[in-house]
Amino acid sequence: MAKPKLRIIPLGGLSEIGKNMMVIEYEDDILLVDAGLMFPEEEMMGVDLVIPDISYLMDKKDKIRALVITHGHEDHIGALPYLLPQLNCPVYATRLTHGLISVKLKESKTLANADLRILPPGGKVTLGKFRVETFPVCHSIPDSVGLIIYTPLGIIVHSGDFKIDYTPVTGNPTDLSRLAQVGSQGILLLMSDSTYAELPGYTPSERVVGEALEHIMIEAPGRVIIATFSSLVSRIQQIIDAAARHNRRVFIVGRNMSEIVRMALDMGYLKAPDGVLARMDELRGTPHNRTVFITTGSQGEPTSALVRIANKDHRQVHIIADDTVVISATPVPGNEALISRTIDNLFKQGAQVLYNDIAEVHVHGHASQEELKLLMNIVKPKYFMPIHGEYRHLCLHAKLAQSVGIPKERTFVMEDGEVLEIDQSSAKVDGRITSSNVYVDGLSVGDIGTVVLRDRQMLARDGMVVVIIAINRQTGKLVGRPDIVSRGFVDTKEYNDMLDKSRDMVAEYLDRGGDHPADWSFIYTKVRDILNKFYYEQTKRRPMILPFMVKV
Amino acid sequence: MAKPKLRIIPLGGLSEIGKNMMVIEYEDDILLVDAGLMFPEEEMMGVDLVIPDISYLMDKKDKIRALVITHGHEDHIGALPYLLPQLNCPVYATRLTHGLISVKLKESKTLANADLRILPPGGKVTLGKFRVETFPVCHSIPDSVGLIIYTPLGIIVHSGDFKIDYTPVTGNPTDLSRLAQVGSQGILLLMSDSTYAELPGYTPSERVVGEALEHIMIEAPGRVIIATFSSLVSRIQQIIDAAARHNRRVFIVGRNMSEIVRMALDMGYLKAPDGVLARMDELRGTPHNRTVFITTGSQGEPTSALVRIANKDHRQVHIIADDTVVISATPVPGNEALISRTIDNLFKQGAQVLYNDIAEVHVHGHASQEELKLLMNIVKPKYFMPIHGEYRHLCLHAKLAQSVGIPKERTFVMEDGEVLEIDQSSAKVDGRITSSNVYVDGLSVGDIGTVVLRDRQMLARDGMVVVIIAINRQTGKLVGRPDIVSRGFVDTKEYNDMLDKSRDMVAEYLDRGGDHPADWSFIYTKVRDILNKFYYEQTKRRPMILPFMVKV
């Protein structure tokens, strides 16, 4: 009989690994952690979102005991509307995360059939042969947790996304003492957040930003406009607190930001002294140096309020002299150009703009190297798997592990879809399941594949040319001149002569030839070759060429 | 009579301002500084390069006295093959820059008609009513200069791209004493490099990297592969020096790197002790811990040697255990994702990778805030124009200027195409010339405009659908079923039924209607609307729809 084994499989996160979903399997029980989405990379043209490929789970649905969510960020909950109807298992989350998931499922009309359950930080639940206990961690959204997973082969600790902040603004510090207690029992496997494994030292406390915000409230001669993530409730709390202390009123701009603020207030995650929060219709009566706006758009998102403001395209807010804009965030990789452009546009309108490169207006939500080492020291795991980060971050995190005494051969730097198998005496990476990126484009999930993307890339680079050829049904001879239309290829006025000449070339070939009058695929290929060669000589471009034959 | 005026016009640099060309005009004399190119931004699909728009100069060619080049980087010389045949004026440059320009013009077959002249650092030349003196500056390529331009209205100082390095590896430090001498005569206008105006403090000396390289040569257990810019001759010098000291041999990988190294050796800008540089055929006989490769690819360029190595696609070099790869560069904005992927791929093959986020293996070539202030203090200009940087960098540089006592009203933060007019008593921004981005795509310069780019963007997002409708010439009735072909829109197998249904919808409309049988533009619009609506309902995508009518 085969020895019982734990199988751990990270799933789907584009260049980041184990970010969007983690599969933990023991005999007939499967536990899932997180169900997030990623935003597409540049060459994934037209794709809206990317979600994990759960085809591996499709014939094992009856074994899935639950999906446990560590926190309410998109890269951990965003795939639920797509995946939950297929997985159809209970979802455990803390109260705020539960609230955010509910909103998300409601929007996508998948809430009715969802089995959502609240598991508070420190709560425990038995799920098949697993027992899961959550512990609070600090991160850039309240109510984040890590997981202590008791399995028949030992205890797994999953850090979630975390940092160690001894003076958090909202919620509790990361529960190091509970981890130390559990650590003393012996931990089989630690899976830990590698996002900032490149960064030496310690990540500063969220409070550092509070001081910077206070200075800004005091010194800004006019209005203060602060852009941040709507889920970064502790930042919003600090803005409200600083505004209250310096007698400014706070206006929330934008639908998404307003919704999250209302929810956080209702649920008690956010507190505002009476009279600090203002309605937009009170704006006119508020002096400039008593005004603060909170808005989204810190990533340069084209439809966000801040970008609209920067483009003079916002209904309610326009930049005026003496405005101070604060970008209280750092760029998510890939967004750098959008953010730069937004900052440039705000400066052009005369605003002073403060951003992280020139002022301490943001701290991030992930542990730096010393914190990562601290966690490993407390947990003292037998095996270690760095997760949440690009491959190089995992490698650097693995090196940190070696520096605190976790041997290389017990450290597993994995790629998505690889399977870590652990039995009572050993652990090894053994095989790989089918796992690819699933693209969401519009309503469709998964139909966009290599062919469609390659076509889009080709169309994007040099455009396309359609050639319409009318052929006499009886004689097989060309009727009239071939018609040629191009889009995205050349300036059709300037290149009129060239396009015209190419019509003649096709006509000439068809008139001359005729040895394969019925063999359309041969003609098709030949016409494409002729035009490809001619256009490339003339322009050094290679448009997609689509010949059509119509029999008349 | 109008008072004689100086007109200063920055031209063409996409988001960076005054980067690619500067026009300095006084009565009947025009002096141009630099002729560079920029790489396209993400939404400029299929565009290869972007060059300055010189249409303003086209009817003033007889007034252009010369083009003076500050240094040999692409963003300062790269547009010469496109612009020089039109401008047809003498080009002044230092010796290395002259050499690089010659190679470039030779490749593009425009060298024969070019009038290239060498002006060494410290050299002087009279150009119409201007007298130009160059002064050496430190930058990330040897033989860089700034300009002292004597005009009838006063002296202009143009910093070029510069940093202040008291211990440069090659060439001379930035000539502060000459600037101080000239400064004491009174400077009318300072134009200064703003690229790193965000960065507090001083930029470290190039020598700092030398120490890091020495450590790497000592500690790396196997081969060392170093990627950097081929023009960063001082870095290449330091690699050669460190290799020589630690008994390693240096292999130059890649055509571009080999050419530049050979040229720099020939011209004396690079020195290699006997026996350090090796031929590739000596690789087999060289022990791993005696081997160093120098290669391009530090920006993740898809065709570079390093990226080929990372993708297991290089003819001569493959990653083996114990390889140490050093990325001795920082990402040029926009290249972050390409570089990340390259680093990840190198790690996946088992290399140790050192890059600037985790090791001090690069210093940049531009002045930080304290150096910028130093220059302003020495030059003490009456007017100040920050150049070379995005708009926010110019704004920050302007604030630095104010902090050292240059009043705001004498500081001119400009956009490309704006005209600064200076007369004997005043200066002001007065108007704007026609200036846009000129796109180079393949062989063509300037034909790619808004329409072509918008089409490419649309094609890239949701692909396209071609509809072929055959109409009876006599009756105006539909013949057969309309034909529909899509590319980059949907998976045609999965969406076969939808595409089929859409053929029927078009047929139905054409059969039913017929009230405008001859009005093709009406039918065209209507068919597009029907399909647009249907496809959007079914997929939430909006492909480009191209109906064609063939009369049979």
Side-chain angles (χ1 to χ4, degrees), chain B residues 8-48:
Chain B
I8 323 260
I9 314 170
L11 274 189
L14 292 182
S15 54
E16 290 195 82
I17 291 150
K19 179 101 180 178
N20 296 159
M21 182 174 274
M22 187 66 71
V23 180
I24 303 174
E25 209 176 342
Y26 181 83
E27 296 190 320
D28 286 334
D29 293 295
I30 293 177
L31 178 69
L32 304 176
V33 181
D34 290 338
L37 59 77
M38 296 297 279
F39 293 98
E41 293 171 0
E42 191 178 333
E43 69 274 17
M44 298 169 190
M45 294 185 159
V47 169
D48 300 325

Side-chain angles (χ1 to χ4, degrees), chain A residues 198 344 355 447 456 488 541, chain B residues 198 355 447 456 488 541:
Chain A
E198 281 171 347
D344 285 343
Y355 49 102
D447 89 289
R456 286 184 185 173
R541 297 177 201 167
Chain B
E198 281 171 345
Y355 49 103
D447 89 289
R456 286 182 185 174
R541 299 178 200 165

